Amino acid sequence: MPESALPESALPGSALPESALPAAVLFDMDGTLVDTEHLWWEAAAELAEELHRPLTDQDAPEVLGRAVEHTAAHLHRVSGTELSEAEVAERLGESFADKVAAETVPRPGALALLASLREARVPTALVSASPRRVVDLVLSTIGRDWFTVTLAAEDTERTKPAPDPYLAAAERLGLDPAACVAVEDTPTGVTSASAAGCAVLAVPSTATPMPDGARITLLDSLANADLALLGKLGAHQAV
């Protein structure tokens, strides 16, 4: 029987009918697919110490899930350093890139979930607020072929928490964002994906409270996510 004639229930790589699969899954990177969110915090904390203004829990909203430029602007503002904002951003970005190059570990369940999506032929996107050089470092470790498209901080005029990255990912895939499921680990990322109209699977990497929303679902680990869950979340489109 030719592949195109297979019944939906027999689609290769999936026991689910095509109608039960998500239209696409859009993944955040740091803290969601790879355990790098703590490296980002370490890079910011080390620089903050050098600037004589140690980080506290109160700084978390300005660091976790944020782009280099945003966190650099925050450190520049609160430390009163004589360094320019651009110099702070350069030092922060270099430190983070060095840490990622030395230590990139996939989050539990991440690669298995990506494999199941690829087998089921579900389009995927990597949607990161990290610079392209950091995204490429991670992709060189976990593999580039998992993703249909990838977006880094430079690829949109505004990055997270603005909706632009997720809107751009859906556009590149030729899909309505409301039909896509975004997977995020920080409030910043959840806000971005939700504002774009995506259903959101939030898998927190820290104890920071997540935003509430009708299409925001909390899960403790990607190891507990599967195609059925993602398909269910994507099916509940906003009307």
Side-chain angles (χ1 to χ4, degrees), residues 21-28 123 125 166 176-184 193 197-202 215 229-236:
L21 295 171
V25 182
L26 319 177
F27 288 95
D28 170 58
Y166 282 102
D176 181 347
C180 300
V181 179
V183 186
E184 276 282 357
C198 302
V200 184
L201 179 62
R215 303 190 75 210
L229 173 62
L230 293 172
K232 181 180 179 181
L233 297 180
H236 295 292

Side-chain angles (χ1 to χ4, degrees), residues 182 184 186-187 189-195 198-203 210-219 233:
E184 276 282 357
T186 65
V190 170
T191 297
S192 172
S194 184
C198 302
V200 184
L201 179 62
V203 186
M210 289 291 176
D212 291 326
R215 303 190 75 210
I216 299 173
T217 301
L218 290 174
L219 194 67
L233 297 180

Side-chain angles (χ1 to χ4, degrees), residues 12-85:
S14 173
L16 296 174
E18 186 174 16
S19 59
L21 295 171
V25 182
L26 319 177
F27 288 95
D28 170 58
M29 186 179 77
D30 297 304
T32 299
L33 288 177
V34 288
D35 191 13
T36 51
E37 196 66 58
H38 74 287
L39 300 179
W40 173 238
W41 181 267
E42 286 176 13
E46 289 171 6
L47 182 54
E49 287 282 353
E50 291 182 33
L51 298 178
H52 308 293
R53 200 285 191 178
L55 292 184
T56 70
D57 290 344
Q58 300 302 313
D59 296 295
E62 308 301 331
V63 178
L64 298 177
R66 295 288 189 171
V68 170
E69 291 76 14
H70 181 97
T71 299
H74 173 69
L75 293 178
H76 182 268
R77 182 174 61 254
V78 299
S79 70
T81 178
E82 293 182 359
L83 294 174
S84 69
E85 192 172 307

Side-chain angles (χ1 to χ4, degrees), residues 70-106:
H70 181 97
T71 299
H74 173 69
L75 293 178
H76 182 268
R77 182 174 61 254
V78 299
S79 70
T81 178
E82 293 182 359
L83 294 174
S84 69
E85 192 172 307
E87 288 173 323
V88 175
E90 182 178 1
R91 291 183 60 178
L92 182 58
E94 288 288 348
S95 176
F96 182 48
D98 288 345
K99 291 178 182 296
V100 170
E103 181 186 346
T104 299
V105 179

